[in-house]
Each structure stands twice: as C-alpha cells, then as structure tokens.
Amino acid sequence: MPAPAGHIPLSVPEMGGREWEYVRACFDTGWVSSSGPFVDDFEKRIAAAAGTAHAVATSTGTAAIHLALLIAGVQPGDEVVVPSLTFIAPANAVAYTGAHPVFVGVDEYWQLNPAALATFLETRCEMRGGVCVNRATGRRVAAVLPVDLLGHPVNLDEIRRVAGAHALVVVEDATESLGARYRDRPVGAGPSVACFSFNGNKIVTTGGGGALVTDRDDWAARARYLSTQAKDDPIEYVHGAIGYNYRLTSIQAAMGMAQMEVLDRFVERRRAIAARYRDALADLPGVTFQPEAPWARSTFWLSTIRVDPATVRPAARAGDSRTLLAAMTAEGIQCRPLWQPLHESAAFPGAESFDVEDAEAVHRQALSLPSSSGLSDADQTRVIAVLRSTLGGASR
Ligand SMILES: *Cc1c(COP(=O)(O)O)cnc(C)c1O
C-alpha cells in the first residue's frame, strides 16, 4: 500500500532489484510451493551470509525460533532465559515448547546483560548432576535466548562462556541483525543455533519468512524434519513425531534471493541513516543514541534515540519520549517506542525476572526513528528538522 503523501514510515521494504524476475521464474517453472531450487538456493545464500554449514528456511522468524528451541532440546517444564527488553516473539516461542521464560535485564548496549545472567545463574540456580536447576521452581534451566536488539549483536562470547559454565544451550534471536558482525564474524556463526526473520519490516524481506542457521548436521536435519510434519515416509505418510508446517514457499524464497543480493547495501544504508541522525542531533542535551559496542557492527535496523527528561532543554516542546512520539506522529512521521518489557506483560503473568531496572529505564526513554533503507535524504532532513524543533534545538 503506498504511503500517503508526506508520511514517513518507520521501516518498510525496499525492492532492491531482481525480485520480480525471480518470482516470475517460479511461475514460469511451476515451482511455487515449498520445494524447488529457490528454497535450496535461498538456504545456501543465508548459510553463506551467516558463515554456517546449514540454513533451514521457515515460514516466519517465530517458527524458526520455535524449531531452534526444539532441536536444542528444550522440553516442557524447562526454563529459558530471555531478555526482558525485546519484541515478544522469542518469549512466545519458549511458551510454544511448554517451557517457561525467565526475564533478565539489559546491559549498556540494551542487550541481554551477561553479568546479570551470570548472577541469576549463580545466586538463584545450582548445578545438580550436570543440570542447572532453578532452586525456587525446581525446574531445569535449559537454554538462554539472547536477542540482538535493534540489530546490535549481543556480547555472545560472554554469554557463551556463562552458558557453558551452567550447561545451557545458546539460541540466538538474530531476527533484527542479519548482516551485522560480532567481533570478526558474521552474526549467526557462533551460537549453537541462530534465527533470522524476513518479515516485511526487517532488513531484507520475503513478505514473511524466517530461517535458522547451525553448524550441526543432526540439528539441521531435525529442524527440516520437524518443519515438514515430521514425515518418515513420503509415500505412505508415516510420521515419527508431532511436526509442524513451517516451510517457506518457493515464491517467498525467490523474492528472498533478490533481497539477499542487496543485503550489504541495505545494511550500509541503515548504518548511514543512523550515523546521520547521530551527527544531526549530537548537540541536543538530553538526547543520546543506542551505543555501538567496540566489538559490534550493528545493522541499526531501527535508529533509536533515548530522551532523558532530566536533561532535555527547558524550552523543548517535548521533554520525554512519549510527548516526542505524539509530536512526530502529528507531523506524519512514524516513530515507535520499544516493546513493553516482558516482565510487565499480561502474556506472562508471574514470570520470574532478574535485574530488569535498566530494561524499564530504556523502555521509558527510547524512541525509534524512520530507518527504512529506502528513506530519502530529503525525508531524513525533514525528520531531523522536526526532532530539532520539538526538542528545543536551533535549526541547522
Ligand atoms: C521480528 C522479530 C521476530 C519474529 O519474526 P517474524 O518473522 O515476524 O515471526 C522475533 N524476534 C524479534 C526480536 C523480532 O524483532
């Protein structure tokens, strides 16, 4: 749907080049459903981008996370550590397995805090016969599910070290960080399994879709099996487990192939947008950016500022993130707060949480700005002008 004139959206797809050509090839060859060369090629392309041996394409990113938890051995009645500050999908995926999320707070980069994770495991849990058990609930803590929030990679080496010491599997939610780098490697390589999303507002899109990546042959095979109804015999329709219909279609994969060809350009563009916002707003008191760690190369999926009411200029028309949100919305500029911290969500009443004050503070103050790779310089100039005038900065 075309945006109304003058409206500047938060994050919308950009057709980067050969989408139509490839989708047309699906129709011309009859490969439109969930088998065919495009799905295979798309999986190879994702594995190559992530630096992993395997990729398994799925119908959504949420489905990829669900499968990742299953192949990682998460069982009903287990617990899985999830950051409190995230879109709800990873916590929902934990619930789909019958396990319980435990919500832990964030670090200075707004990512799952490895130190808080360690303190939670050391003070509230104990090892019993090689298994990490939450003392209060008596449940096994099976896995940790860090999320690369807003495209910024988590401190994975630290999280892996802590997880390893407590026999937890690491499943990385990299749905916002395809194309990011952690130290010297692409996001996706490193954890036991990582998940991507190709939802419409992500870095690259298939309209809807996802993938998991892993180096383990057995896990990739198991994910593929579970994603196709766990079919043991394709002629007699004999099934060996409760499976899911989680496969991506060929049409979606064809679109994804074209999008993956321009992934690097899209990431560069999002980074340039973030850098321009940072420069243009640097002199405004009370306004800071999601910081980028020295070991990280974020996708800056959504450029996100933090507005501290205590230090914003007295002359500002908006002194906090929600007043600013209303002012931007009135100008036709789509901004968005971060997601309600999950320890406050009605979806998970009574869930355990640990060290979540920073998650609450970031949630109160953060606002994501228009970040589409297709955002024009003129539109970004307008966003900046409205931000500056609303926050009490002189125009520049
Ligand atoms: C987008 C997103 C997902 C889910 O992806 P879908 O493809 O929409 O199912 C999961 N986790 C996070 C953090 C996301 O931003």
Side-chain angles (χ1 to χ4, degrees), residues 59-63 65 86-90 147-149 173 175-176 196-199 201-202 208-210 301 339:
S59 51
T60 66
T62 309
I65 300 168
T86 172
F87 179 51
I88 199 169
V147 177
D148 301 330
L149 202 79
D173 179 336
T175 52
E176 300 174 1
F196 298 120
S197 167
F198 306 106
N199 179 36
N201 72 1
K202 295 291 162 51
W301 170 55
W339 311 269

Side-chain angles (χ1 to χ4, degrees), residues 8 48 51 67 103 120 159 177 187 196 204 206 226 250 261 272 274 321 392:
I8 303 178
L67 287 180
F103 300 117
F120 167 74
I159 289 172
S177 62
V187 158
F196 298 120
V204 296
T206 58
L226 289 175
S250 185
E261 287 174 359
S321 62

Side-chain angles (χ1 to χ4, degrees), residues 168-253:
L168 310 193
V169 180
V170 179
V171 176
E172 185 174 2
D173 179 336
T175 52
E176 300 174 1
S177 62
L178 177 63
R181 294 185 74 82
Y182 174 71
R183 299 193 190 278
D184 56 352
R185 52 186 195 256
V187 158
S192 307
V193 50
C195 304
F196 298 120
S197 167
F198 306 106
N199 179 36
N201 72 1
K202 295 291 162 51
I203 308 276
V204 296
T205 185
T206 58
L212 65 82
V213 292
T214 180
D215 281 328
R216 287 187 53 160
D217 303 350
D218 53 341
W219 283 16
R222 181 80 186 162
R224 200 161 268 132
Y225 175 72
L226 289 175
S227 74
T228 48
Q229 305 283 25
K231 200 182 291 169
D232 287 338
D233 185 317
I235 294 164
E236 296 283 351
Y237 277 73
V238 173
H239 302 267
I242 295 174
Y244 304 87
N245 180 5
Y246 274 173
R247 290 295 281 163
L248 192 75
T249 68
S250 185
I251 296 173
Q252 291 168 314

Side-chain angles (χ1 to χ4, degrees), residues 15-388:
M15 296 301 106
R18 303 176 76 176
E19 287 80 1
W20 183 234
E21 180 188 330
Y22 292 165
V23 169
R24 200 187 176 91
C26 289
F27 284 87
D28 290 346
T29 57
W31 289 114
V32 294
S33 191
S34 52
S35 51
F38 275 115
V39 177
D40 296 344
D41 289 352
F42 185 50
E43 288 179 338
K44 288 197 188 93
R45 188 113 202 178
I46 296 162
T52 55
H54 305 282
V56 178
T58 56
S59 51
T60 66
T62 309
I65 300 168
H66 183 197
L67 287 180
L69 292 166
L70 292 174
I71 61 177
V74 173
Q75 302 283 331
D78 283 343
E79 293 182 357
V80 176
V81 177
V82 178
S84 182
L85 193 63
T86 172
F87 179 51
I88 199 169
N92 285 344
V94 170
Y96 301 163
T97 67
H100 306 267
V102 173
F103 300 117
V104 170
V106 297
D107 63 13
E108 63 198 295
Y109 308 110
W110 313 359
Q111 311 300 326
L112 179 70
N113 186 343
L117 172 69
T119 309
F120 167 74
L121 294 170
E122 280 154 21
T123 60
R124 294 207 187 163
C125 307
E126 66 188 25
M127 297 302 289
R128 291 185 198 154
V131 173
C132 182
V133 176
N134 183 328
R135 275 202 304 274
T137 61
R139 295 173 185 143
R140 174 174 82 133
V141 185
V144 53
L145 176 40
V147 177
D148 301 330
L149 202 79
L150 300 166
H152 185 292
V154 291
N155 194 349
L156 191 66
D157 288 351
E158 266 306 288
I159 289 172
R160 282 174 66 182
R161 193 181 59 71
V162 174
H166 295 85
L168 310 193
V169 180
V170 179
V171 176
E172 185 174 2
D173 179 336
T175 52
E176 300 174 1
S177 62
L178 177 63
R181 294 185 74 82
Y182 174 71
R183 299 193 190 278
D184 56 352
R185 52 186 195 256
V187 158
S192 307
V193 50
C195 304
F196 298 120
S197 167
F198 306 106
N199 179 36
N201 72 1
K202 295 291 162 51
I203 308 276
V204 296
T205 185
T206 58
L212 65 82
V213 292
T214 180
D215 281 328
R216 287 187 53 160
D217 303 350
D218 53 341
W219 283 16
R222 181 80 186 162
R224 200 161 268 132
Y225 175 72
L226 289 175
S227 74
T228 48
Q229 305 283 25
K231 200 182 291 169
D232 287 338
D233 185 317
I235 294 164
E236 296 283 351
Y237 277 73
V238 173
H239 302 267
I242 295 174
Y244 304 87
N245 180 5
Y246 274 173
R247 290 295 281 163
L248 192 75
T249 68
S250 185
I251 296 173
Q252 291 168 314
M255 187 174 163
M257 281 299 285
Q259 290 269 296
M260 288 299 285
E261 287 174 359
V262 288
L263 170 65
D264 291 347
R265 176 162 71 74
F266 282 2
V267 170
E268 286 319 308
R269 181 66 192 131
R270 295 225 184 213
R271 289 183 59 82
I273 289 167
R276 186 170 170 216
Y277 280 131
R278 215 181 293 121
D279 289 350
L281 306 172
D283 63 318
L284 288 180
V287 178
T288 51
F289 273 81
Q290 179 190 23
E292 187 175 39
W295 36 259
R297 192 165 194 284
S298 174
T299 61
F300 285 110
W301 170 55
L302 296 179
S303 288
T304 304
I305 57 171
R306 210 171 150 160
V307 183
D308 178 1
T311 43
V312 165
R313 284 219 170 97
R317 282 189 288 122
D320 66 89
S321 62
R322 299 315 190 267
T323 319
L324 180 61
L325 170 65
M328 301 302 284
T329 306
E331 294 286 339
I333 297 170
Q334 186 188 11
C335 296
R336 202 172 70 185
L338 298 186
W339 311 269
Q340 179 189 39
L342 292 176
H343 65 277
E344 298 174 355
S345 171
F348 296 100
E352 184 169 3
S353 62
F354 188 82
D355 204 4
V356 289
E357 291 72 22
D358 287 352
E360 292 170 7
V362 173
H363 172 247
R364 267 194 307 278
Q365 298 186 347
L367 196 68
S368 297
L369 309 176
S371 305
S372 309
S373 48
L375 179 69
S376 70
D377 287 342
D379 277 354
Q380 193 176 9
T381 301
R382 185 154 85 80
V383 177
I384 290 165
V386 176
L387 281 167
R388 290 190 62 81

